[in-house]
Amino acid sequence: MLRDKGDNHTSENDIIEILLRLPVKALLRFKCVCKTWNALIRNSNFVTKQLNHHSNNARLLIQYHNYCTEKFAFALILNEILTKEPLLSHDLDFQHMRCDSGVIGPLNGILGLWNWNRIALWNPATKEFRFLSIPHSNLPPHFRACSYYFGFGLDLTTNDCKLIWIRDFWDNKIDTLYDPRVVSVYTLGSDSWRVFEVDLYGSIQDSLGNTYMNGFYYWLTNEKYDKILIILSFDIGNEVFREIKMPPDMAKSKWGDLSMYNDSLAMFIYDPNEVEKYIDIWLMTVEECWMKELTIGPLLDVERPLGFWKNGELFLELETGESVLYNPNTGETKDLRHRGKDDCLKVLIYKESLVSIKEGNDF
């Protein structure tokens, strides 16, 4: 670690401040300069400062469909201000999971990836990739997993990363869905899984990006018969589920998507069958207290919202699969030049991070 002694105090602080402004790729190279710099850059305090430094700007990470390979891919938008032309992007080198997969996150620069037989963590900035062991339930062999749902967040009591995996199982002998659900929680620091069963309400829906906030993860669920929507929260520290109230006057004929807007849980409410869509945007200011932010529309040729960007701008997926940035104040849209297919399109807010997924608890 650098020492702050005598005349070296200012120069050493200046070195640290300079290093904090550098991209992760450069910092990884500078670890080889000397043992002191290597220890500094690996230090957990430096890792945290780099992640939260004002020079570490948020970028867009888009999961899209590559029509040449017929597989999903990732692109990092290099522009810090999306209104500038031309819009530059960089395809990330990603060959670890070749079939169609789901993605969750990012959390402190880390993404969770999954398909039907593998789960992994990935840091695109450091290029660290880590397959996780698959937890086994105690169910008989004639039970098969038929659907997966994931959450990703921090245990604030230990400052450790946890991945939540909810599985539905089908009983082939009696041809029916097994109830309760099987929940597996992976803890990065101990590289271990805890598996338990719990009764959960209705059908769980994927969130837009990562709906983690202040030690809780949130999913949207709907009752299988009357389609009433409910929000399910998970206390990551205590590993306990609970239900919280929806925005008021939620019509059964409408649909919703959960997202994050600044430091608030947000919900898009709209009718997916409308030709001209109107989207109501609600924010949860405190738990179970909702405030309607605005209504946008009518929107033509829009399939669904994808999340928020800066200054209240929205990401939208068009019926053609194209991704666009929409300004509700001006009504203008900007083509993000990446297309989806079969709901694979995701727009994630990403910041580079030195957080290691191979050295345990570095969060």
Side-chain angles (χ1 to χ4, degrees):
M1 192 64 198
L2 293 178
R3 294 176 297 174
D4 295 332
K5 289 185 177 180
D7 296 336
N8 293 328
H9 177 81
T10 302
S11 60
E12 290 174 350
N13 282 342
D14 288 344
I15 290 174
I16 292 175
E17 184 60 30
I18 292 171
L19 291 176
L20 287 172
R21 295 171 180 270
L22 298 178
V24 167
K25 183 177 181 180
L27 291 172
L28 294 178
R29 294 204 314 266
F30 288 164
K31 287 169 64 176
C32 303
V33 170
C34 62
K35 291 182 179 180
T36 301
W37 281 28
N38 179 57
L40 168 67
I41 295 170
R42 291 167 57 94
N43 182 271
S44 60
N45 289 331
F46 184 88
V47 170
T48 301
K49 288 180 179 179
Q50 183 277 331
L51 176 65
N52 298 317
H53 198 269
H54 62 84
S55 64
N56 189 9
N57 295 304
R59 305 285 180 87
L60 292 189
L61 186 66
I62 300 181
Q63 178 186 292
Y64 68 99
H65 183 80
N66 188 321
Y67 283 82
C68 295
T69 62
E70 287 299 324
K71 302 193 183 295
F72 83 100
F74 289 100
L76 182 64
I77 304 298
L78 302 180
N79 303 59
E80 296 176 9
I81 302 176
L82 298 183
T83 55
K84 288 187 176 181
E85 292 283 0
L87 188 67
L88 304 175
S89 66
H90 171 65
D91 285 340
L92 299 181
D93 183 16
F94 185 77
Q95 302 293 330
H96 301 286
M97 298 175 76
R98 295 179 180 271
C99 60
D100 289 340
S101 299
V103 58
I104 190 169
L107 177 70
N108 288 358
I110 305 299
L111 294 172
L113 301 167
W114 61 272
N115 56 30
W116 287 102
N117 56 14
R118 280 187 166 181
I119 306 174
L121 299 179
W122 178 39
N123 185 330
T126 64
K127 298 186 178 181
E128 286 187 348
F129 191 91
R130 178 176 179 176
F131 283 112
L132 305 184
S133 60
I134 301 297
H136 296 287
S137 68
N138 294 322
L139 298 177
H142 60 272
F143 283 74
R144 62 177 176 85
C146 58
S147 57
Y148 295 168
Y149 316 99
F150 285 87
F152 199 23
L154 289 180
D155 181 344
L156 298 182
T157 60
T158 63
N159 209 30
D160 206 349
C161 169
K162 289 186 177 180
L163 183 74
I164 306 102
W165 184 19
I166 304 172
R167 286 177 284 178
D168 287 332
F169 280 84
W170 190 266
D171 188 339
N172 288 329
K173 279 191 175 181
I174 59 177
D175 198 27
T176 190
L177 192 66
Y178 176 68
D179 195 15
R181 285 186 164 109
V182 176
V183 178
S184 304
V185 179
Y186 174 80
T187 302
L188 178 62
S190 60
D191 188 26
S192 63
W193 291 91
R194 174 180 174 244
V195 182
F196 57 97
E197 296 183 356
V198 63
D199 292 312
L200 295 178
Y201 183 91
S203 176
I204 299 174
Q205 308 296 325
D206 287 333
S207 302
L208 302 176
N210 194 36
T211 49
Y212 163 78
M213 183 175 65
N214 299 330
F216 290 84
Y217 194 87
Y218 300 90
W219 298 268
L220 192 66
T221 73
N222 68 289
E223 208 283 331
K224 298 177 183 177
Y225 301 104
D226 60 16
K227 303 299 181 182
I228 296 175
L229 295 176
I230 287 180
I231 295 175
L232 181 69
S233 73
F234 182 71
D235 184 331
I236 296 175
N238 296 319
E239 300 185 359
V240 174
F241 290 92
R242 68 184 292 261
E243 298 169 5
I244 64 176
K245 293 180 181 179
M246 294 286 296
D249 302 325
M250 179 68 188
K252 294 181 182 179
S253 61
K254 292 189 176 182
W255 184 237
D257 286 306
L258 282 183
S259 183
M260 294 297 299
Y261 179 63
N262 292 333
D263 295 323
S264 296
L265 186 68
M267 187 164 183
F268 297 99
I269 299 176
Y270 59 98
D271 187 340
N273 299 315
E274 286 180 338
V275 177
E276 295 184 344
K277 284 187 172 62
Y278 290 85
I279 302 177
D280 295 332
I281 300 173
W282 290 76
L283 302 181
M284 191 173 74
T285 53
V286 295
E287 188 164 312
E288 302 196 39
C289 182
W290 292 88
M291 177 183 68
K292 188 174 181 179
E293 183 74 4
L294 77 158
T295 298
I296 60 173
L299 300 173
L300 291 173
D301 304 323
V302 170
E303 181 68 22
R304 63 191 176 107
L306 296 172
F308 289 94
W309 184 232
K310 302 172 183 177
N311 303 318
E313 294 176 304
L314 305 175
F315 298 111
L316 301 173
E317 180 178 1
L318 304 184
E319 292 177 351
T320 57
E322 295 168 287
S323 57
V324 299
L325 180 65
Y326 172 76
N327 187 323
N329 296 320
T330 64
E332 296 177 346
T333 60
K334 180 177 179 60
D335 185 5
L336 298 180
R337 302 179 184 176
H338 290 88
R339 296 178 61 192
K341 182 180 179 181
D342 300 329
D343 293 334
C344 82
L345 187 65
K346 287 193 174 183
V347 180
L348 308 173
I349 311 301
Y350 171 77
K351 295 180 72 173
E352 283 193 340
S353 168
L354 287 162
V355 172
S356 174
I357 57 176
K358 294 190 175 181
E359 298 180 359
N361 185 355
D362 257 346
F363 285 83

